[in-house]
């Protein structure tokens, strides 16, 4: 009895109120155990004078009973800096009818659903209006009207106290910090400049990328943000050890580096347009970072201030991409200005939820099987970024295009960074260095050691090839030049207006592919790519830029050229899929079983003139070849559980998948 009382006392310390302590609520899943969530926010502002008017227990219960999510994220403070609950330590919105956050917490607790809050971090307009000294400062000496300084007192005087308030008064399970890494700007505030000079000895402050020490200045700002993030995470962890924290887009493609803060999970809200390709990229970045992760779909398209809710098939297709990579999926539905929701949209999400649940046991936290490693170089990325961290910028256009081109050839691709490959390079039969203009000397040595030991390395891009000129066995002829490259594949030409590096091939170097200057087989062709022996491995170079062009103006020629070159370097992959180019292939292992995910990428998701669509043409039949040393007991098509006939001969299993509507999984038992 005494131990029970002590346990109750301890529990009460970490609950919101005595009322919550007194109830015997169902257990709630941790984020690492969660596969499905709903996100609500409305970035409350000065126009929000009747918050909570249409928020009630029945509304929240309807959401939870209809969708049955593992967790909900709801608004508490958006970019305007106005809190949508009656805060005592922050800057609350003008008017409340009821406290909506109290209702969210009570009902989610009763139903065993975790509650996270959407909280805008670095981006806080009201904080810098009230305290201009908290603002970051631009190169002209002007304080920001939106962004706080990570070198200032904002984190200790508002962010941490307010999150502690939310823990104490509401017992929230965690926080999804928005407007954080991607909102950080180069900071010229007095505190930042003083610290920069003290740390580096540099007194000549750069103002633009053309100035000396610009890279050093951005590196200093990056370190400032890392310290800021670690500081608030550690403070909250000390205050409540089981409080779960994510900083939106930290340690993702926006901040491609090792996870150096004690965050509980990684998360990000990918683009509302061309969402399938956005999720294909962002999910592959997060999947390698060693943390539980999820991606958030915008449930709507948005243009000129008008919203259109996506269809069920549209959201299921996006969910399939994320789930097939082993991640969790959530969808964002905007709240109204009083904090209430649009009920009809929950019926849409309910159908998406059923789709996700049918695949949860197959996919969630499954481990990818290495095939091709596409390198997102931290060092190269940070040297070409115009700000400390990305935020829907163009620095990753090339790698996005190369990824899409490889995936459209049904290749199985992971996105890896330098730190992933320090101990894992040899797990990948083929590594690709895509159009980076810089390579760290130590990392170059690692790549070359990998090739010398029998690996395969493909260098893509005019400037990237120059970094490996000697190893490729070529001599670069002059500087890269922008031109229309008439690339050839399967007897067909396509013009790519991109940089090209003329080269002269050395002895023993084999040319691959041709380029003509016009859309005609006339004149002397130029070398498109080459392959050379390097130690016990192979190194190949592509001497024109393909990525950005494929992302923004894809051609079948570019796809077929690149994938023919990949086939030369990696002729017998573990899994091959033929029958359609509109299939995203992911190979995972879970519970000892090999699982081949097939996601149908058909449909106008990349068409800027189509906001909502509800028909996705099925693909198939597909021929799936799996190389295996042992014959399986059975092959099933999941989640339906249909047993598939197959042939097995000489270590190759061949199975036909009749069609894929949106997402199917071939499981070897």
């Amino acid at each position: 009895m005494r131990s029970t009382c002590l346990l109750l006392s301890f529990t009460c310390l970490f609950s919101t109120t005595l009322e919550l302590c007194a109830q015997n609520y169902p257990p709630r899943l941790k984020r690492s155990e969660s596969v499905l969530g709903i996100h609500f926010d409305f970035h409350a502002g000065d126009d929000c004078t009747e918050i909570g008017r249409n928020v009630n227990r029945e509304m929240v219960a309807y959401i939870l009973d209809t969708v049955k999510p593992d967790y909900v994220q709801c608004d508490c403070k958006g970019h305007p800096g106005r809190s949508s609950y009656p805060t005592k330590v922050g800057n609350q919105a003008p008017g409340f009818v009821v406290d909506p956050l109290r209702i969210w917490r009570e009902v989610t607790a009763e139903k065993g659903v975790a509650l996270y809050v959407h909280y805008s971090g670095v981006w806080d307009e009201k904080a810098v209006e009230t305290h201009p000294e908290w603002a970051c400062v631009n190169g002209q000496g002007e304080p920001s009207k939106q962004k706080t300084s990570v070198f200032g007192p904002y984190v200790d005087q508002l962010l941490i106290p307010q999150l502690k308030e939310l823990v104490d008064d509401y017992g929230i399970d965690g926080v999804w910090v928005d407007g954080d890494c991607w909102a950080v700007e180069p900071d010229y505030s007095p505190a930042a400049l003083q610290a920069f000079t003290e740390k580096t000895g540099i007194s000549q402050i750069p103002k633009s990328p053309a100035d000396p020490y610009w890279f050093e200045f951005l590196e200093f700002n990056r370190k400032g943000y890392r310290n800021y993030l670690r500081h608030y995470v550690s403070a909250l962890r000390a205050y409540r050890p089981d409080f779960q924290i994510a900083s939106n887009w930290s340690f993702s493609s926006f901040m491609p580096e090792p996870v150096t803060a004690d965050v509980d999970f990684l998360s990000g809200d990918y683009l509302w347009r061309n969402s399938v390709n956005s999720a294909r990229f962002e999910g592959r970045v997060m999947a390698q970072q060693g943390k539980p992760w999820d991606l958030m779909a915008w449930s709507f398209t948005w243009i000129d201030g008008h919203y259109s809710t996506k269809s069920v098939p549209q959201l299921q297709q996006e969910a399939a991409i994320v789930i097939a990579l082993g991640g969790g999926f959530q969808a964002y539905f905007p709240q109204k200005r009083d904090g209430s929701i649009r009920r009809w949209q929950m019926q849409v999400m309910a159908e998406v939820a059923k789709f996700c649940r049918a695949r949860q046991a197959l996919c969630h936290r499954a481990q990818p099987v290495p095939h091709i490693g596409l390198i997102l170089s931290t060092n190269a990325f940070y040297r070409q970024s115009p700000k400390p961290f990305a935020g829907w910028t163009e620095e990753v256009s090339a790698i996005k295009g190369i990824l899409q081109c490889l995936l459209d050839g049904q290749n199985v691709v992971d996105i890896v960074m330098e730190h992933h490959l320090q101990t894992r390079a040899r797990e990948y039969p083929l590594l690709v260095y895509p159009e980076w203009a810089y390579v760290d000397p130590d990392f170059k040595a690692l790549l070359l050691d990998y090739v010398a030991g029998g690996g395969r390395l493909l260098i893509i891009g005019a400037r990237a090839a120059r970094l490996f000129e000697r190893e490729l066995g070529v001599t670069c002829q002059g500087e890269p030049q922008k031109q229309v490259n008439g690339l050839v594949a399967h007897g067909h030409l396509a013009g790519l207006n991109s940089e090209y590096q003329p080269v002269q091939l050395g002895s023993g170097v084999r040319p691959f592919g041709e380029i003509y200057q016009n859309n005609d087989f006339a004149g002397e062709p130029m070398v498109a790519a080459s392959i050379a022996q390097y130690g016990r491995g192979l190194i190949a170079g592509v001497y024109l830029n393909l990525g950005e062009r494929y992302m923004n103006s894809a051609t079948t020629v570019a796809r077929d050229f690149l994938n023919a070159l990949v086939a030369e370097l990696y002729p017998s992959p573990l899994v091959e899929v033929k029958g359609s180019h509109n299939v995203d292939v992911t190979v995972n292992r879970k519970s000892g079983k090999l699982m081949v995910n097939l996601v149908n990428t058909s449909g106008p998701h990349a068409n800027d003139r189509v906001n909502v669509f509800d028909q996705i043409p099925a693909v198939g039949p597909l021929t799936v070849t799996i190389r295996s040393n042992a014959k399986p007991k059975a092959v099933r098509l999941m989640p339906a559980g249909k047993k598939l006939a197959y042939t097995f001969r000489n270590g190759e299993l061949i199975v036909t998948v009749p069609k894929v509507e949106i997402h199917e999984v071939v499981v070897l038992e």
Side-chain angles (χ1 to χ4, degrees):
M1 179 68 179
R2 183 172 180 272
S3 62
T4 302
C5 290
L6 288 173
L7 178 60
L8 180 61
S9 299
F10 181 81
T11 303
C12 287
L13 286 173
F14 295 100
S15 296
T16 99
T17 62
L18 291 175
E19 289 81 5
L20 283 176
C21 274
Q23 301 299 321
N24 183 22
Y25 290 126
R28 301 188 287 273
L29 294 178
K30 291 185 177 295
R31 194 62 165 238
S32 60
E33 304 164 327
S34 302
V35 74
L36 181 70
I38 319 176
H39 176 97
F40 300 100
D41 71 48
F42 64 109
H43 294 267
D46 291 338
D47 61 321
C48 296
T49 58
E50 294 186 313
I51 291 177
R53 175 166 293 282
N54 295 298
V55 177
N56 52 50
R57 290 175 55 86
E58 190 274 333
M59 182 200 83
V60 177
Y62 173 79
I63 296 168
L64 304 183
D65 293 343
T66 301
V67 180
K68 300 178 175 61
D70 296 322
Y71 63 89
V72 169
Q73 283 173 188
C74 71
D75 193 83
C76 81
K77 178 170 78 77
H79 302 331
R82 290 289 199 177
S83 297
S84 55
Y85 72 98
T87 178
K88 302 178 186 68
V89 300
N91 303 299
Q92 67 183 40
F96 292 85
V97 176
V98 299
D99 179 356
L101 189 56
R102 182 75 60 197
I103 295 172
W104 281 103
R105 174 70 289 180
E106 289 173 355
V107 181
T108 54
E110 290 166 8
K111 292 183 175 290
V113 175
L115 178 66
Y116 298 78
V117 292
H118 166 261
Y119 184 98
S120 189
V122 168
W123 191 335
D124 189 319
E125 296 169 13
K126 187 62 179 178
V128 297
E129 176 190 330
T130 306
H131 296 280
E133 70 278 11
W134 291 2
C136 72
V137 177
N138 66 21
Q140 290 71 49
E142 301 164 339
S144 173
K145 294 183 179 180
Q146 295 179 330
K147 316 294 176 51
T148 62
S149 171
V150 298
F151 300 97
Y154 162 78
V155 65
D156 287 309
Q157 296 191 25
L158 182 59
L159 187 147
I160 292 172
Q162 192 160 27
L163 290 175
K164 287 181 177 179
E165 175 188 55
L166 287 159
V167 168
D168 291 340
D169 292 355
Y170 296 90
I172 59 173
D173 296 282
V175 62
W176 193 83
V177 183
D178 197 4
D180 218 36
C181 75
W182 57 269
V184 174
E185 301 286 349
D187 191 358
Y188 296 84
S189 64
L193 296 185
Q194 180 180 344
F196 174 65
T197 298
E198 288 176 355
K199 293 285 185 183
T200 65
I202 299 170
S203 58
Q204 182 182 349
I205 307 299
K207 298 296 179 66
S208 75
D211 293 339
Y213 308 119
W214 176 253
F215 174 72
E216 289 79 2
F217 187 59
L218 289 194
E219 278 287 277
F220 170 78
N221 278 270
R222 283 188 271 268
K223 290 177 182 177
Y225 173 75
R226 293 183 198 113
N227 291 336
Y228 159 93
L229 174 61
R230 286 194 288 263
H231 174 59
Y232 78 68
V233 170
S234 63
L236 293 165
R237 185 78 68 236
Y239 193 70
R240 178 173 164 178
D242 62 346
F243 186 66
Q244 297 169 82
I245 305 167
S247 171
N248 182 24
W249 289 122
S250 290
F251 309 112
S252 70
S253 70
F254 291 29
M255 186 181 172
E257 58 183 61
V259 180
T260 56
D262 188 23
V263 293
D264 295 273
F265 60 101
L266 307 182
S267 188
D269 53 324
Y270 58 81
L271 294 174
W272 60 265
R273 189 183 287 284
N274 197 8
S275 302
V276 167
N277 289 322
S278 184
R280 292 167 100 179
F281 175 68
E282 303 297 352
R284 282 173 169 82
V285 176
M286 287 189 177
Q288 298 295 319
Q289 286 286 60
K291 284 281 185 180
W293 64 276
D294 58 67
L295 283 177
M296 181 197 298
W298 286 34
S299 69
F300 56 94
T301 58
W302 180 77
I303 187 168
D304 298 330
H306 300 291
Y307 297 86
S308 295
T309 301
K310 293 176 180 176
S311 70
V312 169
Q314 204 169 350
L315 286 169
Q316 287 176 336
Q317 188 180 43
E318 295 178 28
I321 292 289
V322 177
I323 289 171
L325 291 165
F329 179 77
Q330 57 172 312
Y332 162 34
F333 293 86
Q335 292 165 268
K336 299 178 186 179
R337 302 312 288 163
D338 66 353
S340 62
I341 60 100
R342 296 162 178 86
R343 293 187 177 222
W344 75 271
Q345 295 171 338
M346 295 303 99
Q347 295 297 331
V348 173
M349 189 60 189
E351 293 303 310
V352 178
K354 291 175 187 176
F355 179 91
C356 295
R357 294 299 189 196
R359 292 154 174 80
Q360 180 172 350
L362 295 166
C363 300
H364 191 228
R365 304 299 299 277
Q367 295 302 306
V369 177
H371 284 65
I372 298 173
L374 181 62
I375 299 169
L376 172 52
S377 170
T378 304
N379 288 296
F381 172 83
Y382 281 155
R383 275 170 171 77
Q384 68 187 50
S385 177
K387 56 183 291 188
F389 303 105
W392 300 281
T393 53
E394 299 301 316
E395 283 68 47
V396 288
S397 291
I399 187 174
K400 283 183 177 180
I402 296 298
L403 173 67
Q404 192 171 323
C405 190
L406 290 169
L407 294 179
D408 287 353
Q410 285 55 70
N411 291 290
V412 180
V413 186
D414 293 338
I415 294 181
V416 291
M417 303 175 214
E418 284 100 334
H419 64 279
H420 299 139
L421 296 177
Q422 293 300 321
T423 57
R424 296 182 51 216
R426 297 196 186 282
E427 295 179 14
Y428 288 92
L430 174 63
L431 291 175
V432 181
Y433 200 72
E435 299 185 23
W436 299 113
Y438 173 85
V439 63
D440 176 79
D442 291 340
F443 184 61
K444 180 179 179 180
L446 181 149
L447 291 176
L448 294 176
D449 180 69
Y450 156 83
V451 181
R456 305 289 195 268
L457 177 63
L458 173 57
I459 312 297
I460 300 178
R463 297 183 186 277
R466 293 176 67 87
L467 301 171
F468 293 83
E469 180 179 6
R470 183 176 65 83
E471 294 79 16
L472 286 165
V474 303
T475 302
C476 293
Q477 307 290 297
E479 294 292 319
Q481 54 199 41
K482 187 77 175 290
Q483 65 179 44
V484 176
N485 298 289
L487 186 64
V488 182
H490 302 321
H492 199 89
L493 278 164
L496 280 73
N497 187 9
S498 68
E499 280 194 329
Y500 173 72
Q501 174 62 63
V503 296
Q504 180 179 344
L505 304 187
S507 175
V509 178
R510 177 161 61 98
F512 185 94
E514 296 177 329
I515 292 172
Y516 289 83
Q517 291 189 343
N518 295 300
N519 195 28
D520 189 14
F521 292 95
E524 287 296 318
M526 297 172 286
V527 175
S530 68
I531 303 172
Q533 192 79 31
Y534 188 90
R536 291 187 286 123
L538 294 175
I539 185 169
V542 174
Y543 301 108
L544 72 158
N545 291 356
L546 295 173
E548 182 275 332
R549 287 291 77 205
Y550 196 84
M551 180 181 173
N552 292 308
S553 56
T555 65
T556 57
V557 166
R559 180 199 67 202
D560 292 346
F561 164 80
L562 181 58
N563 287 282
L565 179 54
V566 166
E568 286 283 313
L569 298 170
Y570 185 23
S572 299
L574 175 66
V575 173
E576 287 185 89
V577 176
K578 298 187 182 300
S580 173
H581 287 293
N582 295 323
V583 182
D584 186 301
V585 185
T586 306
V587 180
N588 299 327
R589 289 192 190 277
K590 187 173 182 183
S591 303
K593 297 178 181 178
L594 187 75
M595 303 189 181
V596 180
N597 288 265
L598 306 170
V599 180
N600 180 357
T601 60
S602 302
H605 52 81
N607 188 337
D608 287 347
R609 297 190 178 190
V610 178
N611 281 343
V612 177
F613 57 92
D614 61 2
Q615 288 188 323
I616 300 171
V619 296
L622 303 176
T623 302
V624 180
T625 301
I626 303 171
R627 293 177 173 87
S628 173
N629 294 325
K631 182 179 179 179
K633 295 178 182 178
V635 179
R636 295 189 186 276
L637 191 63
M638 302 295 285
K642 179 182 178 181
K643 202 169 183 178
L644 295 175
Y646 67 91
T647 62
F648 185 80
R649 186 171 54 253
N650 299 324
E652 287 190 348
L653 181 152
I654 301 175
V655 63
T656 297
V657 176
K659 68 176 179 178
V660 176
E661 298 282 357
I662 295 180
H663 176 220
E664 304 288 351
V665 187
V666 177
V667 180
L668 272 61
E669 298 180 348

